PDB file of all heavy atoms in Angstrom:
ATOM      1  N   TYR A   6      31.150 143.075 -23.836  1.00 94.00           N
ATOM      2  CA  TYR A   6      31.640 142.631 -25.126  1.00 94.00           C
ATOM      3  C   TYR A   6      33.127 143.024 -25.248  1.00 94.00           C
ATOM      4  O   TYR A   6      33.572 143.882 -24.558  1.00 94.00           O
ATOM      5  CB  TYR A   6      30.813 143.027 -26.290  1.00 94.00           C
ATOM      6  CG  TYR A   6      30.654 144.495 -26.410  1.00 94.00           C
ATOM      7  CD1 TYR A   6      31.435 145.312 -27.234  1.00 94.00           C
ATOM      8  CD2 TYR A   6      29.715 145.218 -25.719  1.00 94.00           C
ATOM      9  CE1 TYR A   6      31.321 146.669 -27.377  1.00 94.00           C
ATOM     10  CE2 TYR A   6      29.568 146.565 -25.778  1.00 94.00           C
ATOM     11  CZ  TYR A   6      30.431 147.274 -26.652  1.00 94.00           C
ATOM     12  OH  TYR A   6      30.207 148.668 -26.765  1.00 94.00           O
ATOM     13  N   ILE A   7      33.753 142.580 -26.266  1.00 94.00           N
ATOM     14  CA  ILE A   7      35.112 142.986 -26.629  1.00 94.00           C
ATOM     15  C   ILE A   7      34.947 143.771 -27.844  1.00 94.00           C
ATOM     16  O   ILE A   7      34.399 143.388 -28.846  1.00 94.00           O
ATOM     17  CB  ILE A   7      36.031 141.772 -26.896  1.00 94.00           C
ATOM     18  CG1 ILE A   7      36.119 140.832 -25.631  1.00 94.00           C
ATOM     19  CG2 ILE A   7      37.421 142.202 -27.305  1.00 94.00           C
ATOM     20  CD1 ILE A   7      36.710 139.516 -25.912  1.00 94.00           C
ATOM     21  N   LEU A   8      35.523 145.019 -27.773  1.00 95.00           N
ATOM     22  CA  LEU A   8      35.470 145.970 -28.934  1.00 95.00           C
ATOM     23  C   LEU A   8      36.797 145.971 -29.615  1.00 95.00           C
ATOM     24  O   LEU A   8      37.843 146.205 -28.976  1.00 95.00           O
ATOM     25  CB  LEU A   8      35.002 147.325 -28.534  1.00 95.00           C
ATOM     26  CG  LEU A   8      35.116 148.367 -29.575  1.00 95.00           C
ATOM     27  CD1 LEU A   8      34.087 148.090 -30.666  1.00 95.00           C
ATOM     28  CD2 LEU A   8      34.817 149.807 -28.993  1.00 95.00           C
ATOM     29  N   ILE A   9      36.773 145.724 -30.919  1.00 96.00           N
ATOM     30  CA  ILE A   9      38.027 145.870 -31.702  1.00 96.00           C
ATOM     31  C   ILE A   9      37.833 146.977 -32.729  1.00 96.00           C
ATOM     32  O   ILE A   9      37.058 146.823 -33.653  1.00 96.00           O
ATOM     33  CB  ILE A   9      38.459 144.532 -32.402  1.00 96.00           C
ATOM     34  CG1 ILE A   9      38.599 143.431 -31.349  1.00 96.00           C
ATOM     35  CG2 ILE A   9      39.668 144.720 -33.239  1.00 96.00           C
ATOM     36  CD1 ILE A   9      38.980 142.078 -31.918  1.00 96.00           C
ATOM     37  N   LYS A  10      38.539 148.053 -32.538  1.00 97.00           N
ATOM     38  CA  LYS A  10      38.505 149.141 -33.583  1.00 97.00           C
ATOM     39  C   LYS A  10      39.729 149.032 -34.473  1.00 97.00           C
ATOM     40  O   LYS A  10      40.812 148.832 -33.990  1.00 97.00           O
ATOM     41  CB  LYS A  10      38.512 150.492 -32.889  1.00 97.00           C
ATOM     42  CG  LYS A  10      37.179 150.845 -32.161  1.00 97.00           C
ATOM     43  CD  LYS A  10      37.177 152.202 -31.684  1.00 97.00           C
ATOM     44  CE  LYS A  10      35.890 152.545 -31.052  1.00 97.00           C
ATOM     45  NZ  LYS A  10      35.741 153.962 -30.619  1.00 97.00           N
ATOM     46  N   ILE A  11      39.478 149.092 -35.728  1.00 96.00           N
ATOM     47  CA  ILE A  11      40.544 148.946 -36.735  1.00 96.00           C
ATOM     48  C   ILE A  11      40.668 150.262 -37.513  1.00 96.00           C
ATOM     49  O   ILE A  11      39.672 150.747 -38.095  1.00 96.00           O
ATOM     50  CB  ILE A  11      40.222 147.833 -37.725  1.00 96.00           C
ATOM     51  CG1 ILE A  11      40.037 146.509 -36.875  1.00 96.00           C
ATOM     52  CG2 ILE A  11      41.551 147.624 -38.694  1.00 96.00           C
ATOM     53  CD1 ILE A  11      39.594 145.337 -37.666  1.00 96.00           C
ATOM     54  N   ASP A  12      41.835 150.857 -37.631  1.00 95.00           N
ATOM     55  CA  ASP A  12      42.035 152.099 -38.434  1.00 95.00           C
ATOM     56  C   ASP A  12      43.187 151.823 -39.364  1.00 95.00           C
ATOM     57  O   ASP A  12      44.138 151.135 -39.062  1.00 95.00           O
ATOM     58  CB  ASP A  12      42.364 153.230 -37.442  1.00 95.00           C
ATOM     59  CG  ASP A  12      41.272 153.604 -36.585  1.00 95.00           C
ATOM     60  OD1 ASP A  12      40.189 153.911 -37.095  1.00 95.00           O
ATOM     61  OD2 ASP A  12      41.413 153.520 -35.310  1.00 95.00           O
ATOM     62  N   TYR A  13      43.066 152.536 -40.500  1.00 89.00           N
ATOM     63  CA  TYR A  13      44.211 152.734 -41.419  1.00 89.00           C
ATOM     64  C   TYR A  13      45.284 153.606 -40.835  1.00 89.00           C
ATOM     65  O   TYR A  13      44.954 154.582 -40.074  1.00 89.00           O
ATOM     66  CB  TYR A  13      43.754 153.352 -42.695  1.00 89.00           C
ATOM     67  CG  TYR A  13      42.831 152.609 -43.567  1.00 89.00           C
ATOM     68  CD1 TYR A  13      41.465 152.887 -43.584  1.00 89.00           C
ATOM     69  CD2 TYR A  13      43.262 151.529 -44.438  1.00 89.00           C
ATOM     70  CE1 TYR A  13      40.595 152.237 -44.428  1.00 89.00           C
ATOM     71  CE2 TYR A  13      42.422 150.892 -45.221  1.00 89.00           C
ATOM     72  CZ  TYR A  13      41.050 151.199 -45.211  1.00 89.00           C
ATOM     73  OH  TYR A  13      40.157 150.574 -46.028  1.00 89.00           O
ATOM     74  N   ASP A  14      46.471 153.432 -41.218  1.00 83.00           N
ATOM     75  CA  ASP A  14      47.574 154.362 -40.881  1.00 83.00           C
ATOM     76  C   ASP A  14      47.522 155.410 -41.897  1.00 83.00           C
ATOM     77  O   ASP A  14      47.484 155.110 -43.099  1.00 83.00           O
ATOM     78  CB  ASP A  14      48.914 153.634 -40.892  1.00 83.00           C
ATOM     79  CG  ASP A  14      50.015 154.526 -40.311  1.00 83.00           C
ATOM     80  OD1 ASP A  14      50.423 155.436 -41.024  1.00 83.00           O
ATOM     81  OD2 ASP A  14      50.472 154.249 -39.091  1.00 83.00           O
ATOM     82  N   GLN A  15      47.565 156.702 -41.596  1.00 81.00           N
ATOM     83  CA  GLN A  15      47.439 157.809 -42.477  1.00 81.00           C
ATOM     84  C   GLN A  15      48.698 157.947 -43.288  1.00 81.00           C
ATOM     85  O   GLN A  15      48.629 158.515 -44.402  1.00 81.00           O
ATOM     86  CB  GLN A  15      47.152 159.143 -41.657  1.00 81.00           C
ATOM     87  CG  GLN A  15      45.853 159.088 -40.927  1.00 81.00           C
ATOM     88  CD  GLN A  15      44.636 158.986 -41.893  1.00 81.00           C
ATOM     89  OE1 GLN A  15      44.539 159.466 -42.978  1.00 81.00           O
ATOM     90  NE2 GLN A  15      43.774 158.008 -41.458  1.00 81.00           N
ATOM     91  N   GLU A  16      49.815 157.420 -42.819  1.00 85.00           N
ATOM     92  CA  GLU A  16      51.091 157.605 -43.516  1.00 85.00           C
ATOM     93  C   GLU A  16      51.382 156.373 -44.401  1.00 85.00           C
ATOM     94  O   GLU A  16      51.987 156.559 -45.465  1.00 85.00           O
ATOM     95  CB  GLU A  16      52.245 157.702 -42.492  1.00 85.00           C
ATOM     96  CG  GLU A  16      52.067 158.690 -41.379  1.00 85.00           C
ATOM     97  CD  GLU A  16      52.544 160.092 -41.769  1.00 85.00           C
ATOM     98  OE1 GLU A  16      53.661 160.130 -42.419  1.00 85.00           O
ATOM     99  OE2 GLU A  16      51.915 161.088 -41.480  1.00 85.00           O
ATOM    100  N   ASP A  17      50.966 155.252 -43.974  1.00 88.00           N
ATOM    101  CA  ASP A  17      51.266 153.975 -44.688  1.00 88.00           C
ATOM    102  C   ASP A  17      49.908 153.197 -44.741  1.00 88.00           C
ATOM    103  O   ASP A  17      49.496 152.531 -43.765  1.00 88.00           O
ATOM    104  CB  ASP A  17      52.300 153.215 -44.004  1.00 88.00           C
ATOM    105  CG  ASP A  17      52.712 151.950 -44.725  1.00 88.00           C
ATOM    106  OD1 ASP A  17      51.953 151.458 -45.593  1.00 88.00           O
ATOM    107  OD2 ASP A  17      53.708 151.397 -44.380  1.00 88.00           O
ATOM    108  N   LEU A  18      49.288 153.114 -45.875  1.00 83.00           N
ATOM    109  CA  LEU A  18      47.951 152.462 -45.988  1.00 83.00           C
ATOM    110  C   LEU A  18      48.015 150.968 -45.810  1.00 83.00           C
ATOM    111  O   LEU A  18      46.931 150.219 -45.701  1.00 83.00           O
ATOM    112  CB  LEU A  18      47.264 152.869 -47.305  1.00 83.00           C
ATOM    113  CG  LEU A  18      46.871 154.353 -47.380  1.00 83.00           C
ATOM    114  CD1 LEU A  18      46.191 154.620 -48.619  1.00 83.00           C
ATOM    115  CD2 LEU A  18      45.932 154.718 -46.271  1.00 83.00           C
ATOM    116  N   PHE A  19      49.237 150.369 -45.801  1.00 89.00           N
ATOM    117  CA  PHE A  19      49.341 148.901 -45.552  1.00 89.00           C
ATOM    118  C   PHE A  19      49.257 148.652 -44.037  1.00 89.00           C
ATOM    119  O   PHE A  19      48.911 147.546 -43.710  1.00 89.00           O
ATOM    120  CB  PHE A  19      50.618 148.404 -46.101  1.00 89.00           C
ATOM    121  CG  PHE A  19      50.579 148.331 -47.582  1.00 89.00           C
ATOM    122  CD1 PHE A  19      51.369 149.268 -48.299  1.00 89.00           C
ATOM    123  CD2 PHE A  19      49.930 147.396 -48.293  1.00 89.00           C
ATOM    124  CE1 PHE A  19      51.393 149.238 -49.688  1.00 89.00           C
ATOM    125  CE2 PHE A  19      49.940 147.319 -49.708  1.00 89.00           C
ATOM    126  CZ  PHE A  19      50.717 148.325 -50.357  1.00 89.00           C
ATOM    127  N   LEU A  20      49.544 149.623 -43.194  1.00 93.00           N
ATOM    128  CA  LEU A  20      49.490 149.403 -41.845  1.00 93.00           C
ATOM    129  C   LEU A  20      48.126 149.486 -41.275  1.00 93.00           C
ATOM    130  O   LEU A  20      47.291 150.335 -41.765  1.00 93.00           O
ATOM    131  CB  LEU A  20      50.316 150.400 -41.034  1.00 93.00           C
ATOM    132  CG  LEU A  20      51.834 150.442 -41.336  1.00 93.00           C
ATOM    133  CD1 LEU A  20      52.552 151.528 -40.577  1.00 93.00           C
ATOM    134  CD2 LEU A  20      52.449 149.087 -40.975  1.00 93.00           C
ATOM    135  N   ARG A  21      47.720 148.646 -40.293  1.00 94.00           N
ATOM    136  CA  ARG A  21      46.470 148.650 -39.666  1.00 94.00           C
ATOM    137  C   ARG A  21      46.727 148.805 -38.152  1.00 94.00           C
ATOM    138  O   ARG A  21      47.578 148.110 -37.606  1.00 94.00           O
ATOM    139  CB  ARG A  21      45.729 147.332 -39.953  1.00 94.00           C
ATOM    140  CG  ARG A  21      45.262 147.110 -41.338  1.00 94.00           C
ATOM    141  CD  ARG A  21      44.316 148.196 -41.869  1.00 94.00           C
ATOM    142  NE  ARG A  21      43.787 147.957 -43.175  1.00 94.00           N
ATOM    143  CZ  ARG A  21      44.306 148.356 -44.295  1.00 94.00           C
ATOM    144  NH1 ARG A  21      45.468 149.028 -44.321  1.00 94.00           N
ATOM    145  NH2 ARG A  21      43.738 148.119 -45.476  1.00 94.00           N
ATOM    146  N   HIS A  22      45.946 149.612 -37.494  1.00 94.00           N
ATOM    147  CA  HIS A  22      45.957 149.884 -36.031  1.00 94.00           C
ATOM    148  C   HIS A  22      44.772 149.207 -35.434  1.00 94.00           C
ATOM    149  O   HIS A  22      43.649 149.533 -35.822  1.00 94.00           O
ATOM    150  CB  HIS A  22      46.067 151.314 -35.696  1.00 94.00           C
ATOM    151  CG  HIS A  22      47.231 152.012 -36.223  1.00 94.00           C
ATOM    152  ND1 HIS A  22      48.363 152.257 -35.382  1.00 94.00           N
ATOM    153  CD2 HIS A  22      47.623 152.497 -37.368  1.00 94.00           C
ATOM    154  CE1 HIS A  22      49.287 152.885 -36.056  1.00 94.00           C
ATOM    155  NE2 HIS A  22      48.851 153.012 -37.337  1.00 94.00           N
ATOM    156  N   PHE A  23      45.004 148.310 -34.500  1.00 94.00           N
ATOM    157  CA  PHE A  23      43.874 147.596 -33.790  1.00 94.00           C
ATOM    158  C   PHE A  23      43.864 147.983 -32.339  1.00 94.00           C
ATOM    159  O   PHE A  23      44.979 147.957 -31.671  1.00 94.00           O
ATOM    160  CB  PHE A  23      44.173 146.061 -33.892  1.00 94.00           C
ATOM    161  CG  PHE A  23      44.220 145.533 -35.233  1.00 94.00           C
ATOM    162  CD1 PHE A  23      45.372 145.495 -36.021  1.00 94.00           C
ATOM    163  CD2 PHE A  23      43.097 144.992 -35.784  1.00 94.00           C
ATOM    164  CE1 PHE A  23      45.370 145.016 -37.260  1.00 94.00           C
ATOM    165  CE2 PHE A  23      43.087 144.486 -37.092  1.00 94.00           C
ATOM    166  CZ  PHE A  23      44.245 144.501 -37.855  1.00 94.00           C
ATOM    167  N   THR A  24      42.766 148.433 -31.855  1.00 93.00           N
ATOM    168  CA  THR A  24      42.612 148.727 -30.467  1.00 93.00           C
ATOM    169  C   THR A  24      41.531 147.785 -29.964  1.00 93.00           C
ATOM    170  O   THR A  24      40.429 147.733 -30.312  1.00 93.00           O
ATOM    171  CB  THR A  24      42.251 150.270 -30.284  1.00 93.00           C
ATOM    172  OG1 THR A  24      43.156 151.132 -30.871  1.00 93.00           O
ATOM    173  CG2 THR A  24      42.081 150.461 -28.791  1.00 93.00           C
ATOM    174  N   ILE A  25      42.020 146.942 -28.937  1.00 92.00           N
ATOM    175  CA  ILE A  25      41.154 145.892 -28.426  1.00 92.00           C
ATOM    176  C   ILE A  25      40.818 146.377 -27.034  1.00 92.00           C
ATOM    177  O   ILE A  25      41.690 146.546 -26.165  1.00 92.00           O
ATOM    178  CB  ILE A  25      41.775 144.552 -28.442  1.00 92.00           C
ATOM    179  CG1 ILE A  25      42.199 144.205 -29.842  1.00 92.00           C
ATOM    180  CG2 ILE A  25      40.820 143.537 -27.831  1.00 92.00           C
ATOM    181  CD1 ILE A  25      43.095 142.923 -29.916  1.00 92.00           C
ATOM    182  N   THR A  26      39.528 146.537 -26.675  1.00 91.00           N
ATOM    183  CA  THR A  26      39.007 147.003 -25.402  1.00 91.00           C
ATOM    184  C   THR A  26      38.002 146.074 -24.840  1.00 91.00           C
ATOM    185  O   THR A  26      37.059 145.739 -25.564  1.00 91.00           O
ATOM    186  CB  THR A  26      38.447 148.406 -25.498  1.00 91.00           C
ATOM    187  OG1 THR A  26      39.469 149.278 -26.178  1.00 91.00           O
ATOM    188  CG2 THR A  26      38.101 148.984 -24.231  1.00 91.00           C
ATOM    189  N   GLY A  27      38.236 145.658 -23.592  1.00 90.00           N
ATOM    190  CA  GLY A  27      37.124 144.943 -22.866  1.00 90.00           C
ATOM    191  C   GLY A  27      36.094 145.819 -22.368  1.00 90.00           C
ATOM    192  O   GLY A  27      36.422 146.764 -21.567  1.00 90.00           O
ATOM    193  N   LYS A  28      34.898 145.694 -22.761  1.00 90.00           N
ATOM    194  CA  LYS A  28      33.682 146.492 -22.298  1.00 90.00           C
ATOM    195  C   LYS A  28      32.882 145.747 -21.350  1.00 90.00           C
ATOM    196  O   LYS A  28      32.486 144.604 -21.580  1.00 90.00           O
ATOM    197  CB  LYS A  28      32.817 146.857 -23.462  1.00 90.00           C
ATOM    198  CG  LYS A  28      33.552 147.725 -24.572  1.00 90.00           C
ATOM    199  CD  LYS A  28      33.697 149.186 -24.056  1.00 90.00           C
ATOM    200  CE  LYS A  28      34.117 150.038 -25.159  1.00 90.00           C
ATOM    201  NZ  LYS A  28      34.152 151.388 -24.817  1.00 90.00           N
ATOM    202  N   GLY A  29      32.594 146.300 -20.148  1.00 85.00           N
ATOM    203  CA  GLY A  29      31.802 145.772 -19.188  1.00 85.00           C
ATOM    204  C   GLY A  29      32.615 144.775 -18.229  1.00 85.00           C
ATOM    205  O   GLY A  29      33.723 144.408 -18.565  1.00 85.00           O
ATOM    206  N   PRO A  30      31.955 144.470 -17.094  1.00 80.00           N
ATOM    207  CA  PRO A  30      32.656 143.688 -16.037  1.00 80.00           C
ATOM    208  C   PRO A  30      33.173 142.311 -16.559  1.00 80.00           C
ATOM    209  O   PRO A  30      34.179 141.819 -16.093  1.00 80.00           O
ATOM    210  CB  PRO A  30      31.601 143.502 -14.995  1.00 80.00           C
ATOM    211  CG  PRO A  30      30.471 144.376 -15.298  1.00 80.00           C
ATOM    212  CD  PRO A  30      30.588 144.869 -16.727  1.00 80.00           C
TER     213      PRO A  30
END
């Protein structure tokens, strides 16, 4: 599956951090 983790920025709550990771072959 493709995992997308989304986090708030601690300094600026309007910013979003997206980490997209390919899981599995």
Side-chain angles (χ1 to χ4, degrees):
Y6 58 96
I7 300 167
L8 175 62
I9 301 179
K10 289 188 178 186
I11 308 171
D12 294 303
Y13 293 101
D14 188 287
Q15 298 302 315
E16 310 270 320
D17 183 344
L18 294 180
F19 290 104
L20 296 179
R21 298 294 188 267
H22 295 263
F23 299 85
T24 304
I25 304 171
T26 306
K28 299 283 192 174

